[in-house]
Amino acid sequence: MNKPTDDALRAISELLELLQDELIVASETLPSTRCLSLTQLKPIIKAAQARLSAPVFRRHSAVKIVELLNGSGLLTPIPLEQRASKKLPDLFAIGFNLPALPSAFEVLQAFRPNGVLCYFSALELHGLTTQVAPHYHVATFRSNVHESETAIFAASDKTHSLGSPAFAYQGVDCYVTTRDRRNLLAVQRRQLNSQSIARVTSLEQTLLDCLHRPASAGGAPVVFEAWAVGTQRVRPNLLWKILSDIDDVRLYRRAGYMLEINAGDPSLLLKIKERSDLDDTLHPPDALLPGIPYTNINNNWRLRTA
């Protein structure tokens, strides 16, 4: 096997330095500098190639450069497991002698850079659950929603799909779910570590999401634990803002019930009760958590509960 020439070694060293310069700081468009997809890597590689003083690697394709970087130890393919029949994405951990692979949150954000971590992903990030992860979700937004559409929430007894299976990572299934912009209103950027930023639903949005898709949140025990922990951390004005912007009577009632059983803010509870009582439509009581066949009737909130 031929050893690389001194010129080739210098070119490799320069390429590595230029790439590391491009990956110093995470940003909104580049959420992580230590976990990237091939799609994200290609323009970064091209920018580094354009700055090379030696011509050795300027004409190489991005895929060829990736192979070279993989061999050098700078890139490590993320070990994903296939789910369904979908092709696995090309995702890479960046850095020499990594002490550990990136977290599932970093991997999901690299997979969908404009996506939002939600449901159980958000519960775990906000410290609202002690349960072992059953699955993780990243959301993308639904396009072409007509303003005339009013049914933001599905029927209360409908069993919801978990979304589209993307892959499994470290034994946990990861899903992409499509969300309606009208019921996902509060997103924040969260620093995962010195090299990674995630887009995640706010604590208040996350708690309300549990009442919308309890299966995606991990099931009823997870939802009740999250509200028990989260009620005392909720910012009442922000929770009310999301509720009033969505303005769905079923969500008012579900949130009101959860706040009441967890001794939530009295003034917020009063506002929610007054708003939910404005709807005097005669219809059977909705389930507290969609998809769960509760039978006991709570007349105060007009819900079927455990």
Side-chain angles (χ1 to χ4, degrees), residues 34-51:
R34 72 171 199 157
C35 183
L36 283 84
S37 67
L38 181 59
T39 301
Q40 291 170 303
L41 273 171
K42 284 180 177 179
I44 293 170
I45 288 171
K46 288 181 180 179
Q49 285 177 296
R51 294 169 58 198

Side-chain angles (χ1 to χ4, degrees), residues 116 118-119 139-142 145 150-154 160 177-187 201-202 204-213 241-243 245-248 250-251:
V116 179
C118 59
Y119 301 133
T140 57
F141 287 108
R142 183 178 298 132
V145 175
T150 57
I152 298 177
F153 293 96
H160 297 291
T177 184
T178 305
R179 298 287 302 269
D180 190 323
R181 290 182 183 275
R182 296 171 298 170
N183 67 25
L184 203 172
L185 302 173
V187 177
T201 51
S202 71
E204 293 78 15
Q205 177 77 58
T206 300
L207 288 173
L208 294 177
D209 284 350
C210 290
L211 307 179
H212 174 38
R213 291 289 180 95
K241 177 71 167 60
I242 300 170
L243 276 169
D245 284 350
I246 294 174
D247 198 31
D248 183 279
R250 287 167 292 189
L251 190 59

Side-chain angles (χ1 to χ4, degrees), residues 81-223:
E81 301 168 46
Q82 193 168 30
R83 289 294 180 264
S85 58
K86 296 187 177 180
K87 180 181 180 296
L88 288 174
D90 294 309
L91 299 174
F92 299 90
I94 316 295
F96 293 107
N97 303 314
L98 294 173
L101 287 171
S103 69
F105 306 127
E106 293 173 85
V107 170
L108 276 171
Q109 197 71 82
F111 176 53
R112 288 289 185 269
N114 295 319
V116 179
L117 300 178
C118 59
Y119 301 133
F120 194 91
S121 307
L123 289 173
E124 191 170 304
L125 277 170
H126 286 297
L128 295 173
T129 181
T130 58
Q131 307 301 313
V132 175
H135 44 243
Y136 289 123
H137 280 85
V138 62
T140 57
F141 287 108
R142 183 178 298 132
S143 60
N144 301 323
V145 175
H146 298 293
E147 291 298 324
S148 60
E149 294 180 12
T150 57
I152 298 177
F153 293 96
S156 69
D157 289 326
K158 180 179 178 181
T159 300
H160 297 291
S161 163
L162 289 177
S164 177
F167 49 78
Y169 179 57
Q170 297 178 334
V172 180
D173 288 341
C174 297
Y175 292 84
V176 176
T177 184
T178 305
R179 298 287 302 269
D180 190 323
R181 290 182 183 275
R182 296 171 298 170
N183 67 25
L184 203 172
L185 302 173
V187 177
Q188 60 186 211
R189 295 177 69 199
R190 188 174 183 123
Q191 193 85 35
L192 298 179
N193 52 57
S194 61
Q195 295 174 282
S196 301
I197 297 169
R199 300 178 74 227
V200 59
T201 51
S202 71
L203 184 143
E204 293 78 15
Q205 177 77 58
T206 300
L207 288 173
L208 294 177
D209 284 350
C210 290
L211 307 179
H212 174 38
R213 291 289 180 95
S216 295
V222 176
V223 174

